[in-house]
Amino acid sequence: MGRRQPLPCSPRQAGLFRACGVWIALGLLATMNGGCRTSSVLPIVDESAEYYEAESIELEPSESVESLLLSEMPFAEEPRRLRHEELAAPWPITLEDAVQYALRNSDVIRTAGQLGSPSNPILANPEGVRSAYDPAIQQRGYLFGQRGVEAALSDFDAQFSTNMKWGREEQIQNNNFLAGGLNPGDTLASDTAQWNSALTKSLITGGQVSLNQQWNYGSNNSTQRLFTSAYDGNLGLQFRQPLMAGAGIDYTRIAGPISGNANNITGLTQGIVIARINEDMSLIDFELALTNLVRDVETQYWQLAIAQHSLALEEEMQAKTKLALHIAQSRRTAGGLGSGALEETAAREQYQQSVLQVAAARDQLYTAEAELRRILGLSVNDGRLLQTIDDPVTADMTFDWHHSLGTALIARPELRKQKWHIRSLQLQLQAAENLLRPQLDFVSDYHTNGFGDDLLGPRNDGVTNKGLGSGYGTLFSGQQTGWTLGVEYSIPLRQRLAKTRLQGLELQLAKSQAMLRVQEVEISHELAAAFREIDRTWLAAEVHTARLATAEERLNALKALSNSTPDRVSIEEILRAQRAVADARRDILQSYTEYTLAMTTLQQRTGRLLPAHHISLYDHAVQPYPIEYFRSLDSNESIGRAHLTDDQAPAPGLLPVR
């Protein structure tokens, strides 16, 4: 067996190769990091979002759940109830102030009717509850089908990759003629290294451009090599552009670059346009939740107003029944034993009933006040008692049906969301039609080759007069170049997937358009019901007003008769007349409150409830939610925001809503 020959390359050369490779890789990385930028993260809502964004980075894992307790509820005072009444400072509040408190405290949006329900989503499904964070969560979505604009733009981020490999191989030469100058049976010892780097970027046209650099190092103990160790490699620029399927700016903005989109699995929803539409739909969902919140605040506010008025009436009736009881007792005492016993027991029964009615009215007041506190995001009890100071609408209001219906068909958030969904399906259908074409790509490559005894160093190699001493020297001299041009073509022979996808989107679009028509009809019926409710409640208020006048007239007649001939009028008759007056007064307030809520319902059905409270939703991409922005699916205003460039996409987020 032959003796192993020493390696022909020096440690200096191998070390220089490794050092150069590392430094060049680091240089490319530094260049990449300095040249790529992403848009800044926008605050979600008010100072609560700033706290969330700051604190969420600083949280550390804790050993127990108790350490995560951030609520102030353990410090709330004992709830106010019938057997725990206490003196409370009145807290007068207007309806607008109540709405303000609700907006300020409802980063998580509550709805009426949830309290005590087994299916209360706040407890049973907290992740499904609407909140002020939802639009920003959608904006920062990154999963397939739920991506935000930033994630969609990431398809166009330049990608840098590099790898280095070193190797050694020792083989016995079993050939008399091809042993490379070694004796048969000697060992050929080879040292190898490879360094590959690539910088790749997808284009908005659907194409892809990449810059590649490759170096191969070889060294062995063969005596027939010109250089015992040498570097050879190339620097090349490749370009691929789809010409049919997946080609064009429109397709790429809808579905994303075809080169990086597994559209067979994820569909055609990965582009910037679809991501922008999804963010807009998330904003509409938040607007719907906010509208329901304002409606619940109004409802609970007027429920508290009714409870306050009812308690005042019941307390007044209790005082009157108590006075009547004293009168009956006085008459019985004056008339002797057994005289007026029936009248006294009737008065006592009325008084005992009034005590129960006062207790029920006070409990209803506490319940209504607690529910309003809950909707406003306040604690159970802070030592103050909410008191409404606004009065319901008592003026006869008339509304134009055609104007209201036209406003509803433009401004209702549900219709705007459905129109965005239709627009998304139309764009996906356009992309699906594009994929019916064959896959025809233009491909090209241009490269320059390099060779050298050393990677970096003087051009003079000491062996030839070709200047082969430096690999980079020959590479950048441009003396050895190559290029390729061509096309690649492929097509599924039956195109089952493309046709099925197209037909599925056509059916989804047909359903969505039919659903839009049904929604418009449904909204017209809702609006008609609101008109009927306004008329009914106003008529009820008028009837109860007339009823109050009749009850007061009857009470005055009974009092006059009692003063003239006391024996002809019993105390029970007077108490019943007083109860009729109190009931009529309560029913009048109830009717006017229902009338006010009916007009609130009309505002909600026409999509004008938030503007009625001077509430505006702001999107950083546009100014305050203009109605004209959603007026037409085909107008430039309705789709202008969606067509964003690959490196400029304003990120949506909510500013303070007041």
Side-chain angles (χ1 to χ4, degrees):
M1 180 179 294
R3 184 172 58 86
R4 178 181 297 176
Q5 300 295 326
L7 290 177
C9 66
S10 66
R12 176 190 65 81
Q13 291 174 316
L16 180 62
F17 171 74
R18 290 191 293 269
C20 291
V22 172
W23 279 108
I24 293 174
L26 291 176
L28 286 174
L29 283 173
T31 303
M32 284 297 302
N33 290 335
C36 296
R37 295 182 298 174
T38 59
S39 61
S40 59
V41 176
L42 299 174
I44 303 173
V45 175
D46 227 340
E47 61 275 359
S48 60
E50 297 175 359
Y51 168 81
Y52 173 80
E53 292 178 352
E55 295 297 324
S56 62
I57 302 176
E58 300 175 2
L59 289 179
E60 296 180 356
S62 59
E63 297 180 358
S64 63
V65 178
E66 287 77 8
S67 63
L68 297 178
L69 184 63
L70 299 176
S71 174
E72 298 179 357
M73 291 304 101
F75 308 105
E77 298 182 15
E78 188 173 352
R80 193 175 290 106
R81 57 191 190 277
L82 290 179
R83 292 196 294 175
H84 185 73
E85 296 189 53
E86 59 181 9
L87 293 177
W91 183 2
I93 186 172
T94 65
L95 178 58
E96 290 304 313
D97 289 340
V99 172
Q100 281 289 327
Y101 278 110
L103 296 179
R104 187 181 307 167
N105 298 329
S106 294
D107 49 347
V108 174
I109 298 178
R110 304 169 182 85
T111 58
Q114 294 176 338
L115 186 62
S117 172
S119 60
N120 184 351
I122 292 180
L123 300 177
N125 184 25
E127 297 302 320
V129 177
R130 291 292 175 190
S131 73
Y133 300 97
D134 292 344
I137 290 174
Q138 175 61 43
Q139 178 191 357
R140 281 123 178 119
Y142 57 89
L143 298 177
F144 285 117
Q146 301 177 358
R147 303 203 305 174
V149 171
E150 286 297 313
L153 286 173
S154 68
D155 289 338
F156 303 97
D157 291 344
Q159 301 291 326
F160 175 76
S161 63
T162 185
N163 65 79
M164 293 184 179
K165 296 180 181 179
W166 291 265
R168 180 178 175 83
E169 190 72 28
E170 297 180 354
Q171 292 182 334
I172 295 177
Q173 300 302 296
N174 185 27
N175 194 299
N176 289 325
F177 304 102
L178 302 176
L182 301 179
N183 296 321
D186 286 349
T187 298
L188 178 65
S190 302
D191 285 334
T192 60
Q194 295 87 33
W195 174 31
N196 298 292
S197 297
L199 187 62
T200 306
K201 188 180 191 316
S202 297
L203 306 176
I204 193 63
T205 59
Q208 187 179 78
V209 61
S210 60
L211 180 66
N212 298 284
Q213 178 182 259
Q214 176 181 353
W215 283 108
N216 295 306
Y217 169 79
S219 174
N220 59 45
N221 55 352
S222 172
T223 60
Q224 296 184 358
R225 292 169 58 94
L226 179 62
F227 299 101
T228 56
S229 64
Y231 297 87
D232 68 89
N234 60 71
L235 177 65
L237 182 67
Q238 290 82 36
F239 174 69
R240 174 184 290 270
Q241 174 61 49
L243 301 178
M244 299 184 73
I249 295 177
D250 289 342
Y251 175 87
T252 307
R253 287 178 176 168
I254 295 170
I258 192 171
S259 58
N261 180 15
N263 52 68
N264 292 348
I265 302 174
T266 62
L268 303 172
T269 61
Q270 305 306 304
I272 305 169
V273 175
I274 303 300
R276 177 69 247 191
I277 290 177
N278 291 339
E279 291 179 2
D280 289 332
M281 293 170 65
S282 179
L283 289 172
I284 294 176
D285 288 335
F286 178 73
E287 181 186 355
L288 282 169
L290 198 62
T291 302
N292 292 332
L293 172 65
V294 173
R295 170 59 192 267
D296 289 342
V297 169
E298 284 208 35
T299 301
Q300 294 304 318
Y301 184 88
W302 295 120
Q303 290 297 327
L304 179 58
I306 292 174
Q308 290 175 185
H309 188 71
S310 297
L311 178 59
L313 290 175
E314 294 300 337
E315 288 177 340
E316 182 181 348
M317 280 301 303
Q318 184 182 24
K320 291 179 179 179
T321 56
K322 186 175 182 179
L323 177 60
L325 178 60
H326 287 316
I327 294 174
Q329 289 174 341
S330 300
R331 287 182 180 181
R332 180 178 180 182
T333 303
L337 184 63
S339 175
L342 182 60
E343 188 177 51
E344 181 187 353
T345 55
R348 183 180 296 110
E349 183 181 3
Q350 290 284 345
Y351 174 72
Q352 292 169 346
Q353 184 66 27
S354 69
V355 172
L356 291 177
Q357 290 174 332
V358 167
R362 182 171 285 110
D363 179 71
Q364 183 61 36
L365 173 68
Y366 293 158
T367 300
E369 197 259 357
E371 181 62 16
L372 181 58
R373 279 181 169 273
R374 174 182 169 273
I375 294 296
L376 300 187
L378 303 176
S379 63
V380 173
N381 184 8
D382 58 5
R384 296 178 294 175
L385 184 66
L386 290 173
Q387 290 184 352
T388 62
I389 58 177
D390 284 348
D391 296 323
V393 178
T394 58
D396 186 8
M397 308 288 290
T398 58
F399 301 91
D400 183 80
W401 164 256
H402 297 287
H403 179 269
S404 299
L405 180 59
T407 301
L409 295 179
I410 293 174
R412 279 292 290 267
E414 298 91 339
L415 295 183
R416 301 205 313 265
K417 181 179 179 180
Q418 186 66 14
K419 290 175 181 178
W420 275 126
H421 181 61
I422 291 174
R423 183 58 180 164
S424 176
L425 289 175
Q426 289 174 339
L427 294 172
Q428 294 178 53
L429 186 63
Q430 176 183 338
E433 291 173 346
N434 180 283
L435 293 180
L436 284 175
R437 305 171 181 175
Q439 185 73 44
L440 178 64
D441 292 357
F442 169 77
V443 294
S444 62
D445 169 73
Y446 179 83
H447 58 272
T448 177
N449 300 317
F451 178 87
D453 183 34
D454 201 351
L455 189 64
L456 295 171
R459 296 288 301 275
N460 185 13
D461 55 65
V463 178
T464 69
N465 59 357
K466 306 295 185 180
L468 304 179
S470 171
Y472 272 111
T474 58
L475 181 72
F476 292 126
S477 67
Q479 298 298 318
Q480 293 83 33
T481 61
W483 57 269
T484 59
L485 291 175
V487 293
E488 294 181 2
Y489 179 87
S490 64
I491 183 174
L493 295 182
R494 299 187 63 178
Q495 289 191 318
R496 291 186 181 182
L497 177 61
K499 293 178 180 178
T500 301
R501 177 170 48 213
L502 182 66
Q503 293 168 357
L505 287 171
E506 288 175 342
L507 291 173
Q508 292 181 46
L509 179 59
K511 176 184 176 181
S512 297
Q513 291 172 336
M515 188 61 67
L516 177 61
R517 293 190 293 270
V518 172
Q519 285 180 328
E520 291 176 342
V521 174
E522 195 74 9
I523 284 175
S524 67
H525 283 284
E526 288 184 351
L527 199 61
F531 269 73
R532 290 194 297 269
E533 183 70 8
I534 289 175
D535 290 350
R536 183 193 67 80
T537 53
W538 177 255
L539 177 61
E542 289 183 325
V543 171
H544 289 312
T545 301
R547 177 174 148 232
L548 175 61
T550 302
E552 288 177 339
E553 182 180 354
R554 179 171 178 267
L555 177 61
N556 293 332
L558 287 174
K559 286 181 178 180
L561 183 61
S562 176
N563 291 333
S564 61
T565 54
D567 294 339
R568 295 185 57 183
V569 179
S570 66
I571 294 178
E572 184 178 2
E573 286 182 296
I574 294 178
L575 289 176
R576 284 200 299 267
Q578 290 173 340
R579 168 58 64 183
V581 171
D583 290 345
R585 289 168 60 188
R586 182 183 60 248
D587 291 342
I588 288 175
L589 177 63
Q590 180 78 30
S591 296
Y592 279 129
T593 301
E594 292 178 353
Y595 177 67
T596 303
L597 288 175
M599 287 190 290
T600 299
T601 301
L602 180 62
Q603 291 173 338
Q604 183 181 16
R605 299 306 185 209
T606 56
R608 304 298 299 170
L609 183 58
L610 295 184
H613 286 275
H614 310 290
I615 299 172
S616 299
L617 295 178
Y618 282 80
D619 183 354
H620 291 289
V622 294
Q623 291 307 315
Y625 255 7
I627 295 299
E628 293 76 15
Y629 175 63
F630 304 96
R631 189 177 300 278
S632 172
L633 284 176
D634 298 325
S635 66
N636 293 330
E637 292 82 6
S638 65
I639 61 175
R641 293 170 57 210
H643 290 277
L644 306 174
T645 61
D646 62 332
D647 57 354
Q648 292 181 347
L654 295 180
L655 294 174
V657 293
R658 189 66 176 175

